[in-house]
Amino acid sequence: MTVSIAPIATLAEFLDRPDLEDSPAWEYLDGRAVQKPMPKFRHSLLQKRLIGAIDAVGDRYTAMPELRCTFGDRSMMLEDSPGEETP
């Protein structure tokens, strides 16, 4: 279940929130600030194993457990991504 607060006027206003990086993570979707639920044990264990497997492949990719991505009119925390190619 997600918890939502009052509508926020702009993405810039959302990104200026003092509690933006608090846990659980906040996302800006459709003009609302939404706090994601905390992951459970099984999710965290899978995330740990997936990151280890990706990192074991080599230095070409870097796995990140959570990463804030802001594009268009959305800002969200991406989790369990397959990795990002490093320069």
Side-chain angles (χ1 to χ4, degrees):
M1 181 170 106
T2 58
V3 177
S4 164
I5 63 169
I8 294 179
T10 66
L11 177 59
E13 186 178 315
F14 170 77
L15 293 172
D16 284 340
R17 291 176 57 94
D19 62 347
L20 182 62
E21 298 303 325
D22 288 355
S23 184
W26 286 94
E27 297 181 335
Y28 180 77
L29 302 168
D30 301 323
R32 297 180 308 139
V34 179
Q35 197 168 27
K36 294 173 58 173
M38 290 294 289
K40 295 188 170 39
F41 176 78
R42 190 171 178 178
H43 171 91
S44 296
L45 182 60
L46 177 61
Q47 185 179 41
K48 176 185 174 208
R49 290 179 179 168
L50 181 59
I51 289 170
I54 293 170
D55 285 343
V57 172
D59 293 336
R60 187 169 175 191
Y61 294 93
T62 300
M64 305 296 289
E66 290 188 353
L67 179 65
R68 175 166 301 284
C69 294
T70 302
F71 51 94
D73 61 349
R74 293 178 178 229
S75 180
M76 60 192 71
M77 295 295 289
L78 300 180
E79 298 181 24
D80 301 339
S81 60
E84 177 178 307
E85 190 166 348
T86 54

